[in-house]
Amino acid sequence: MDVVFRRNKDPAGGKGGTTPPMDTRIPRPARAGSSRDRRRILLLDALHAAGLVVVIVLALFPIYWMVSASFKTDNQLFAVPPVWLWKPTLAHYGTVLHDTNMMGALANSLSIAGLTTLLSLLLGVPAGYGIARYQFRFRRDVWFWFVSNWMIIPVVLVIPYFLIATKLHLLGSRWLLVAIYQTFGVPLAVWLMVDQFRSIPAELEEVARIDGTSVFGAFIRIMVPLALPGVVVSGILVALFAWNELLYAQALIPSLASRTAPVVALTFLGGYEVPWGDVMAAGTLIVLPVLAFAALVSRYLVRGLTLGAIK
Amino acid sequence: MSRQRRTLVPWLFILPGFGFLLLVGLYPLVFTFVTSFERYHLDTIYLGTPFVGFDNYIDSLRSSLFIGAMLRTGFFVLVALPVEMVLGLGIAFLLDRPRNDGLRAFTRVILVLPIATTPVVVGLFGALIFNTQFGVVNYLVGLAGIRPVDWLGSPTLAMVSVFALQVWQWTPFVALVMLATLATIPVEMEDAFFLESNSWLKRLRHIRLPYLIPGLTAAAIFQTAYMIKLFDMIYTLTRGGPGESTDLISLQMERLSFRAFDAGQAAAESVIMLVVTLVLSQLYIRFFYREPEA
Amino acid sequence: MHIRSGSGRSLLAAALSAAFLLGSALSAFAAGEREAASSANDYQGTTITVVGLDRPSYAAAQKLTPQFEQQTGIKVNWAIYPYESTLKEETLNFVSQSQQFDVILTDVVWPGVFGQADWVVPVRHFLDNTALTKPDFDMSDFIPIWLKAFTWGDKLLGIPFDSYSGLLYYNKAMLRDAGFSGPPKTWDDLLNVYAPRLTDRAKGVYAFALQSRRGETQSCDAFARFLWPWGGEFLDPATFQPEVTSASAKAGIEFRQKLLQYMPDGIVNDDHGEVVQLLAQGKVAMITEWSSFYATLVDPSQSKIVNDLGVTTEPAGPSGAVPAFGGFAYMVSSQIPEKLQNASWLFIQWLTSKEMAKPLIENGAVVARISADGDPANQAQYPYLAPMVDSWKTTTDIFRPRFPEWPQLSEITSNWGTQIELGQVTVDQGLQNISDEFKKVLGDAGYYSGTKPKIE
């Protein structure tokens, strides 16, 4: 898992004068011999850097384009060829913040995402632990049942949820969304936490148990702290999906005041003309908090995305 | 500790989550199942919802829209998944190569951004960059001397646009999964192999691939499920159009539910899709994925 | 107010009401004002939610709403939705009885959906309430076809607002440069005489653009428009058997296919906004669009052809002129408390009153009042009014059926209509599919078993 550690260990080091055959594709820094080889390695390094730059540009460009469009006047937006340098305008942000309840919607999204994450962890972390650390009948079925919730197509469940919410007078309640979001939050947390708990040596827990700690004491005081990276990562992913969710939020929150940010973004598309600048400003407002968050926690996120992959 | 107790303890951990999911998830599933045998029109619900046997299932399977959407979704997964895999693996190799450390670290941060971008917003800026008149894609294509094309107005190109945005958003995910997977390959294994062969391709096939399979499978399961559920981005980009050319399964079912208000047939389609996805995920898991063994 | 002899209080009341009657006789207008104000006082502090669209008429209405709020003390919330999700939002509102909306926006094709379900209060209920309805709220001043369009069974369900007809908008300069002194009178001329000379693919200039996006735009603007002028219709009114495979229907849809060569590529993805922009930017010479776009096309910030804009009735087909018919009405939800219903009616009454017609038109709205639309001064100032009024005389109120099954039929029409347009199915096959699927929906609804009355 730890890339840096592995690569820092010079593969040729400690082997004295025995130089392994030259790998021409993947250069190994310690093995550069002749100046021709050195030049070739420099060239490969340059290509490598160029490749990385291409990846960065491709990944960033669409986001950059949206953000830049949100600061352009309509004329600059529609200009062909595109304008690359211009004096930014804040007019679209003014429109979005004035005409829609975007700030309120962002606050709604934030609270829903936060509560969803909290509940998913409360439910998913113990479940992941139970599946990872114990042998019992139906264990594999239980695991599959949890994970298969991730496979359900949300469109399918919108009408049933809508009708039951109507009967229970829950329509428009953020708790309704928080509860429904568990259908993807819990499976995600369970999937990741099973792998996380399995990667922790069993002896650590056994030592604690010998010392007289109860099962739950050991879980809370020993296992959860050890599995913290997985917990953080599950939380981040659940929060992302909850923040981004559209279908349920659209159908189950009728009140304009309690709508979530993605739903509000859609309202710009209804007119005869798409107000591109406003739409891009709204998009930027919705995406920027998540991007900042994602970049801040990227180390955890990278780890989280890969937990399911590594045993 | 008695055997009795041992079997009870895990359930104490599992039950809260299990029970909650059952509570939240079971009712709508049962409802969907029951509705799939009824004539259930949301807008004329006051007329009653008579039992109609398998009519909704027959209608679904005879509906060219549903079959079309299923095939289209299948095709989409079959094309997008390998492309994401190959590109993702390529990026993972770039990130794994031990030079340009700063740039590599920066790239890893940047790669997280597409994944985190709200899909609704991806569709929105997609519509801007693929716009025929002032879209930047047409401008860039124009630099290569190609006439502006109508990306979202032509059935094929609209699908290409959806496909491009999907690949843009989720290839980084595959790349990051593969990067971590590459790190699981013991260094000694690779070093030993260097002694025998210096072919990069051979090394990939014999040494790396076996280690990469679990990561690829996890990414494949995750992405297959995601693409079958794909809705938001297409909804804001093309709404499934032009015609039905980008109508993936979720879009077709949404229109059936909320434009034709035919909840009965939508439920039947849901049940069919549920069976398909469950079979699919079982297959994936059986053939590739190592289930958690205690 | 009851008058009984022998009571001083009653006498006083009688005197007051006599004075009131005298006053109203002297000035009906002023009395109306006062009466509405007095009845509205009871609603001070009430808040109503009005469903609207992101279209010019609602922008105008929103702009003028503070006047109503000041007069009555009723607060108005506008809930603006994209057209394509309005029916969904309103239906979910009714099914869930969430009382989210008070003033219901109804497209000309939804009265059946809302009426059969009793989700809205028939207008008669309010008209009979003299304390609520001004005496000068002249119902006979509404265009008759519009009252007919929003009648379901024998009950009028709403008051028309944002009422359109399809019009031919054209770029005078482009037509002149191509040697035409006026717009085409028939679709045949448009295709055979005008289109070839107005299209220059190399320059990216086209004769025509037809909004064809899947959804109501396809089934109404792009499909029904090529049905009626050719003598086609959706259903046989007597038997309810689909008529879309008739020779005349085929001729119309085949004509549409021929016209495609003179339109920009990708038209099947274009909705109203895109097509209006194509005309406004000088990229196409002619479009057939709703009357509401006049406001957009003469707005210098959105249109480059303000001075070259021509507007006239839609061309005639082989069986005459049947311009597209569409528009909206406001209705009162039957699920809300009486007080809110009354406040909602006060709003509808204000918005659709004779006095408001002119200010609304000036702010870009389209109204269905004869006194405003037919007024020569208005017609001179707003050239879309005369052809619009003319169009309403020749079109049909069942341009699209308005029974509860229409949303399903619309889906079917738009699915196959777009596929025909894209060339993914042949005209014959597409129309046959529409016909088959219509039959199934109408059969399931019970129209063929003889029990259900056949009301379009």
Side-chain angles (χ1 to χ4, degrees):
Chain A
M1 174 81 211
D2 198 337
V3 185
V4 180
F5 174 75
R6 183 174 69 102
R7 291 300 181 192
N8 277 351
K9 200 171 76 180
D10 179 7
K15 287 188 180 169
T18 55
T19 311
M22 189 67 198
D23 172 28
T24 51
R25 314 290 162 93
I26 310 263
R28 312 219 149 193
R31 262 182 268 125
S34 69
S35 67
R36 213 176 121 235
D37 285 339
R38 217 174 288 136
R39 235 180 294 133
R40 173 188 254 160
I41 286 165
L42 275 176
L43 181 70
L44 281 173
D45 281 357
L47 281 176
H48 179 222
L52 289 170
V53 169
V54 167
V55 171
I56 292 171
V57 168
L58 283 177
L60 274 186
F61 184 75
I63 300 173
Y64 160 77
W65 202 250
M66 168 183 68
V67 177
S68 70
S70 73
F71 290 109
K72 286 178 177 173
T73 65
D74 280 353
N75 281 335
Q76 291 162 341
L77 251 167
F78 300 139
V80 182
V83 184
W84 298 92
L85 284 173
W86 71 101
K87 193 166 159 276
T89 168
L90 287 172
H92 299 303
Y93 288 90
T95 314
V96 169
L97 294 177
H98 182 262
D99 289 2
T100 68
N101 182 21
M102 186 50 92
M103 286 327 259
L106 289 171
N108 290 335
S109 286
L110 187 66
S111 82
I112 289 172
L115 292 169
T116 301
T117 309
L118 216 62
L119 190 57
S120 289
L121 292 180
L122 275 174
L123 298 170
V125 172
Y129 172 77
I131 293 171
R133 306 300 274 195
Y134 290 89
Q135 229 3 306
F136 53 96
R137 279 183 75 191
F138 306 123
R139 192 182 56 88
R140 283 157 66 173
D141 302 294
V142 167
W143 177 82
F144 182 70
W145 183 79
F146 269 115
V147 172
S148 63
N149 271 281
W150 175 253
M151 313 275 170
I152 293 173
I153 304 176
V155 183
V156 174
L157 303 182
V158 172
I159 289 182
Y161 277 133
F162 177 78
L163 292 173
I164 185 115
T166 300
K167 283 213 185 80
L168 298 176
H169 299 287
L170 281 173
L171 213 60
S173 154
R174 70 185 52 176
W175 290 103
L176 176 72
L177 282 190
V178 170
I180 291 174
Y181 285 177
Q182 300 311 315
T183 55
F184 61 77
V186 174
L188 209 55
V190 168
W191 192 355
L192 297 174
M193 290 317 295
V194 167
D195 287 339
Q196 173 70 73
F197 280 119
R198 281 172 39 73
S199 72
I200 299 168
E203 299 79 41
L204 285 174
E205 193 185 1
E206 275 155 23
V207 167
R209 296 289 303 283
I210 289 164
D211 287 348
T213 318
S214 73
V215 175
F216 296 100
F219 168 66
I220 291 178
R221 266 179 270 147
I222 311 285
M223 292 308 277
V224 170
L226 283 173
L228 209 56
V231 176
V232 172
V233 149
S234 311
I236 293 167
L237 280 182
V238 174
L240 273 184
F241 276 96
W243 177 276
N244 289 343
E245 205 279 337
L246 171 75
L247 259 173
Y248 292 132
Q250 196 185 14
L252 302 176
I253 304 281
S255 145
L256 293 172
S258 343
R259 302 215 131 175
T260 61
V263 180
V264 172
L266 280 190
T267 57
F268 289 99
L269 294 182
Y272 281 141
E273 262 180 291
V274 179
W276 287 109
D278 300 349
V279 171
M280 294 305 127
T284 305
L285 285 174
I286 295 169
V287 162
L288 226 49
V290 226
L291 293 192
F293 175 67
L296 269 177
V297 297
S298 76
R299 252 185 54 220
Y300 290 101
L301 194 56
V302 170
R303 188 166 151 65
L305 292 173
T306 58
L307 259 179
I310 296 145
K311 296 282 150 66
Chain B
M1 197 192 295
S2 73
R3 197 175 154 68
Q4 190 87 39
R5 173 111 186 270
R6 261 193 86 79
T7 52
L8 265 181
V9 168
W11 285 104
L12 291 177
F13 284 104
I14 292 163
L15 266 179
F18 190 82
F20 194 92
L21 263 196
L22 212 60
L23 193 75
V24 178
L26 198 64
Y27 171 81
L29 279 182
V30 171
F31 177 95
T32 303
F33 189 72
V34 172
T35 313
S36 70
F37 295 101
E38 293 175 341
R39 178 151 71 234
Y40 200 111
H41 282 275
L42 209 54
D43 58 341
T44 53
I45 210 169
Y46 48 87
L47 294 178
T49 55
F51 177 81
V52 292
F54 282 93
D55 277 12
N56 287 323
Y57 288 89
I58 295 165
D59 288 349
S60 299
L61 294 174
R62 286 170 63 179
S63 154
S64 64
L65 294 175
F66 176 58
I67 299 297
M70 280 223 287
L71 293 176
R72 205 169 293 116
T73 309
F75 172 79
F76 189 77
V77 174
L78 283 180
V79 176
L81 202 56
V83 171
E84 284 180 14
M85 293 289 166
V86 171
L87 290 179
L89 205 54
I91 296 174
F93 284 136
L94 277 181
L95 290 173
D96 194 44
R97 187 179 181 274
R99 300 303 291 264
N100 297 313
D101 288 345
L103 205 52
R104 281 196 300 143
F106 183 62
T107 313
R108 274 208 301 272
V109 175
I110 294 301
L111 280 183
V112 169
L113 302 185
I115 304 169
T117 309
T118 311
V120 169
V121 176
V122 174
L124 290 176
F125 65 61
L128 178 70
I129 62 178
F130 283 115
N131 186 289
T132 313
Q133 274 103 47
F134 48 82
V136 69
V137 173
N138 260 349
Y139 168 72
L140 295 174
V141 162
L143 293 182
I146 298 167
R147 260 182 58 119
V149 285
D150 190 10
W151 289 97
L152 302 178
S154 129
T156 320
L157 292 177
M159 195 61 164
V160 172
S161 310
V162 171
F163 175 83
L165 288 176
Q166 166 70 21
V167 169
W168 172 79
Q169 184 160 32
W170 289 98
T171 297
F173 167 80
V174 179
L176 293 175
V177 171
M178 296 329 291
L179 173 63
T181 315
L182 280 175
T184 61
I185 304 171
V187 181
E188 301 74 34
M189 290 275 296
E190 293 209 56
D191 284 344
F193 196 78
F194 275 123
L195 294 170
E196 286 152 29
S197 165
N198 61 2
S199 159
W200 184 82
L201 260 181
K202 270 189 189 159
R203 188 156 66 95
L204 175 65
R205 225 185 90 207
H206 294 292
I207 302 298
R208 291 182 154 179
L209 213 54
Y211 282 93
L212 296 181
I213 288 289
L216 281 171
T217 312
I221 293 178
F222 189 89
Q223 274 298 287
T224 305
Y226 186 86
M227 284 188 232
I228 289 174
K229 297 194 281 185
L230 191 61
F231 177 83
D232 310 5
M233 183 262 279
I234 304 182
Y235 188 73
T236 45
L237 186 71
T238 63
R239 291 239 164 158
E244 53 168 329
S245 50
T246 54
D247 235 2
L248 297 199
I249 197 73
S250 281
L251 283 113
Q252 192 265 334
M253 287 186 355
E254 199 266 350
R255 271 182 307 117
L256 192 61
S257 305
F258 292 119
R259 249 188 75 79
F261 296 112
D262 192 343
Q265 192 184 325
E269 294 188 359
S270 311
V271 173
I272 296 172
M273 280 315 296
L274 203 62
V275 172
V276 170
T277 41
L278 285 184
V279 168
L280 213 60
S281 49
Q282 275 287 14
L283 283 178
Y284 269 127
I285 288 163
R286 183 143 312 160
F287 285 108
F288 301 112
Y289 200 62
R290 282 180 292 160
E291 288 173 64
E293 305 289 347
Chain C
M1 208 171 280
H2 304 278
I3 303 173
R4 278 198 205 112
S5 59
S7 152
R9 234 178 114 222
S10 297
L11 274 175
L12 180 65
L16 276 175
S17 69
F20 184 76
L21 282 173
L22 185 69
S24 59
L26 284 173
S27 165
F29 179 79
E33 278 283 280
R34 205 179 315 147
E35 198 173 271
S38 75
S39 65
N41 272 341
D42 310 340
Y43 303 98
Q44 183 87 35
T46 317
T47 301
I48 55 170
T49 304
V50 181
V51 179
L53 304 175
D54 195 356
R55 294 188 180 181
S57 293
Y58 306 88
Q62 269 178 286
K63 196 175 159 200
L64 298 173
T65 296
Q67 291 182 17
F68 171 76
E69 293 179 320
Q70 255 166 18
Q71 279 173 30
T72 60
I74 297 171
K75 187 170 176 334
V76 178
N77 272 341
W78 282 90
I80 304 294
Y81 291 102
Y83 171 80
E84 286 291 333
S85 56
T86 309
L87 179 60
K88 167 189 163 186
E89 296 287 349
E90 292 186 335
T91 302
L92 292 184
N93 166 68
F94 288 130
V95 172
S96 66
Q97 306 196 342
S98 62
Q99 306 186 9
Q100 201 63 43
F101 310 130
D102 305 301
V103 180
I104 305 298
L105 184 70
T106 308
D107 192 5
V108 69
V109 282
W110 306 337
V113 180
F114 296 169
Q116 181 181 292
D118 286 330
W119 284 335
V120 290
V121 184
V123 168
R124 177 54 51 199
H125 171 80
F126 301 107
L127 291 179
D128 286 346
N129 186 343
T130 47
L132 215 55
T133 306
K134 290 186 201 177
D136 63 342
F137 185 70
D138 185 358
M139 287 299 292
S140 64
D141 185 42
F142 288 105
I143 312 267
I145 192 174
W146 279 106
L147 296 182
K148 197 175 165 202
F150 289 107
T151 301
W152 178 250
D154 52 0
K155 291 185 180 121
L156 175 65
L157 299 178
I159 305 294
F161 175 73
D162 196 26
S163 325
Y164 320 144
S165 87
L167 296 172
L168 178 71
Y169 294 98
Y170 57 96
N171 184 327
K172 284 179 187 163
M174 283 171 83
L175 260 60
R176 201 172 45 234
D177 293 348
F180 300 109
S181 55
K185 291 267 182 289
T186 64
W187 281 107
D188 258 349
D189 278 355
L190 192 153
L191 174 70
N192 297 317
V193 183
Y194 283 70
R197 278 158 67 182
L198 286 162
T199 305
D200 186 345
R201 285 194 165 261
K203 281 195 202 149
V205 177
Y206 302 86
F208 194 71
L210 178 69
Q211 58 283 14
S212 306
R213 189 160 221 194
R214 190 175 60 178
E216 199 66 32
T217 305
Q218 167 69 214
S219 47
C220 177
D221 293 85
F223 192 90
R225 176 170 271 127
F226 293 90
L227 211 53
W228 294 95
W230 275 260
E233 56 188 349
F234 281 105
L235 306 172
D236 180 322
T239 63
F240 264 34
Q241 289 297 327
E243 282 289 304
V244 289
T245 49
S246 69
S248 22
K250 264 179 205 167
I253 301 305
E254 268 159 11
F255 177 91
R256 180 179 76 159
Q257 293 308 98
K258 281 185 222 144
L259 195 54
L260 278 176
Q261 59 185 303
Y262 302 111
M263 300 189 210
D265 294 335
I267 201 74
V268 182
N269 206 36
D270 285 353
D271 213 327
H272 303 289
E274 288 83 0
V275 169
V276 170
Q277 274 308 304
L278 285 169
L279 181 70
Q281 300 304 318
K283 300 250 167 66
V284 305
M286 299 174 281
I287 60 172
T288 42
E289 260 294 1
W290 297 121
S291 34
S292 62
F293 293 108
Y294 179 78
T296 313
L297 288 165
V298 294
D299 174 359
S301 74
Q302 303 183 68
S303 170
K304 288 181 183 165
I305 63 154
V306 176
N307 297 321
D308 293 322
L309 180 69
V311 52
T312 183
T313 47
E314 282 189 19
S319 95
V322 191
F325 181 69
F328 297 83
Y330 270 126
M331 302 185 176
V332 177
S333 166
S334 66
Q335 297 180 341
I336 54 174
E338 196 182 349
K339 192 172 178 187
L340 284 176
Q341 289 183 351
N342 291 345
S344 300
W345 172 253
L346 286 175
F347 174 78
I348 295 175
Q349 186 184 189
W350 167 80
L351 184 69
T352 59
S353 64
K354 263 186 198 171
E355 303 88 80
M356 288 310 295
K358 185 77 198 281
L360 279 167
I361 291 175
E362 282 167 351
N363 281 287
V366 191
V367 302
R369 285 254 176 207
I370 297 170
S371 56
D373 294 342
D375 176 52
N378 283 353
Q379 290 194 347
Q381 199 179 349
Y382 300 98
Y384 76 92
L385 287 176
M388 179 171 81
V389 172
D390 283 348
S391 299
W392 286 336
K393 288 177 192 146
T394 58
T395 190
T396 165
D397 65 300
I398 52 164
F399 194 76
R400 293 162 283 164
R402 56 178 178 274
F403 48 43
E405 290 74 23
W406 172 252
Q408 277 173 278
L409 299 196
S410 173
E411 266 300 284
I412 294 167
T413 310
S414 96
N415 281 329
W416 293 111
T418 44
Q419 288 191 46
I420 293 172
E421 213 173 328
L422 287 167
Q424 292 170 336
V425 291
T426 62
V427 172
D428 281 1
Q429 188 57 50
L431 294 177
Q432 189 59 49
N433 292 345
I434 294 178
S435 175
D436 294 346
E437 293 182 17
F438 271 20
K439 265 189 205 161
K440 177 158 189 332
V441 168
L442 296 172
D444 281 352
Y447 286 110
Y448 299 143
S449 54
T451 48
K452 192 160 175 166
K454 297 182 176 66
I455 320 171
E456 276 188 72

